[in-house]
Amino acid sequence: MGDDGWSFAPDAPDPLGDGRFLRDVYLRAVPRYTGRVTVPVLWDKKTSRIVSNESREIMRMLDLEMDALAKGGPPLAPPELVPRIDEVLDAIYEPVNNGVYRAGFATKQAAYEEACRAVFEAFDRWEAVLARQRFLCGAALTEADIAMFTTCLRFDLVYHAHFKCNVRRLADYPALSGFVRDIAQRPEVRATCNLDHIKTHYYWSQTTVNPHRIVPLGPTVDLDSPHGREALG
Ligand SMILES: N[C@@H](CCC(=O)N[C@@H](CS)C(=O)NCC(=O)O)C(=O)O
């Protein structure tokens, strides 16, 4: 994401046309669009429209409506677990998923401190849960775990320094960091995790937080050591 927002990369061009920026895709759907241009986007090729640009909605659509197209594997939102999954998604959004952003973009000390405390209070709470059970809603991997994973994967790499969420590292939480490795070691997940892209993106594109675009050398994030979580119920 550069000064003109998200752009297509030379090795991953616009699959639908000759757009250079994601903005071009939004304009294709709504020619007078002037709102925010954000990822992710779920695009409908038949109607040439954006179906949704809200990650939580897209995750559910991919899981339920597009189940017939899936290569296999259990659903991430089985019907009997949906109420609990939705509760956990609600519970982690504000302190964790959005909490790191609220801390990182805060322009007042008190706002930063409130957000940063909320992040670590939530981590402390979910660490205790994950010490007893393999995933946030029990023994099965669900959408709630994917939502927690995306923030946790980036935590030591980016949020700890860039967003000043530095009370503890994720690596200091044995259960949470094992949980991240458990998910990251799945080949289909791992193929979507480019740690260099993640780090460069944040340090390079958020110039209000990092005006000189210096990308730090560290830290090293260990995704490969055994997690030992298969034994948990
Ligand atoms: N509610 C949206 C928020 C999406 C969002 O804010 N995406 C960020 C990247 S994580 C973005 O594209 N930002 C572009 C910008 O702010 O210009 C979701 O979670 O899907």
Side-chain angles (χ1 to χ4, degrees):
M1 191 174 85
D3 297 333
D4 286 307
W6 292 103
S7 59
F8 289 102
D11 60 344
D14 178 359
L16 305 162
D18 56 1
R20 287 176 59 212
F21 299 102
L22 187 62
R23 180 179 69 213
D24 302 326
V25 170
Y26 276 71
L27 289 171
R28 215 174 279 153
V30 182
R32 300 166 70 124
Y33 186 74
T34 56
R36 284 182 73 211
V37 173
T38 59
V39 290
V41 172
L42 181 64
W43 178 268
D44 183 335
K45 283 183 179 173
K46 290 199 177 152
T47 62
S48 291
R49 278 195 300 210
I50 291 173
V51 180
S52 173
N53 66 352
E54 174 51 48
S55 53
R56 185 166 162 176
E57 282 179 15
I58 294 174
M59 182 161 64
R60 185 67 50 90
M61 289 171 184
L62 293 176
D63 196 48
L64 300 184
E65 275 82 359
M66 302 196 196
D67 186 46
L69 302 173
K71 285 192 188 130
L76 293 172
E80 69 282 8
L81 276 183
V82 163
R84 180 62 188 146
I85 293 169
D86 285 339
E87 265 174 26
V88 175
L89 285 167
D90 286 341
I92 65 176
Y93 178 75
E94 207 46 52
V96 177
N97 305 123
N98 197 35
V100 291
Y101 282 86
R102 288 193 298 119
F105 287 118
T107 54
K108 295 272 192 301
Q109 181 70 26
Y112 156 73
E113 287 187 15
E114 182 277 315
C116 187
R117 285 207 174 88
V119 170
F120 288 97
E121 278 165 20
F123 277 178
D124 293 347
R125 190 163 343 113
W126 291 106
E127 171 73 8
V129 172
L130 290 171
R132 298 191 301 269
Q133 63 192 42
R134 190 165 175 187
F135 297 110
L136 297 183
C137 298
L141 178 75
T142 70
E143 290 179 357
D145 302 300
I146 304 302
M148 182 65 122
F149 171 76
T150 52
T151 296
C152 290
L153 176 73
R154 290 157 173 74
F155 199 80
D156 288 353
L157 194 64
V158 175
Y159 304 144
H160 186 269
H162 182 63
F163 282 171
K164 304 187 188 76
C165 294
N166 63 357
V167 177
R168 283 177 284 284
R169 300 171 308 157
L170 196 88
D172 299 325
Y173 288 93
L176 264 172
S177 55
F179 163 86
V180 170
R181 296 199 300 283
D182 187 358
I183 299 177
Q185 287 174 17
R186 293 153 199 257
E188 67 281 14
V189 173
R190 192 55 168 272
T192 71
C193 303
N194 185 323
L195 300 188
D196 283 341
H197 281 180
I198 290 172
K199 191 163 76 171
T200 308
H201 162 68
Y202 281 93
Y203 281 101
W204 205 87
S205 67
Q206 294 170 351
T207 47
T208 51
V209 181
N210 189 38
H212 300 297
R213 290 180 161 165
I214 307 287
V215 182
L217 291 175
T220 303
V221 173
D222 167 29
L223 295 178
D224 296 319
S225 63
H227 54 79
R229 296 185 57 79
E230 301 88 347
L232 288 167

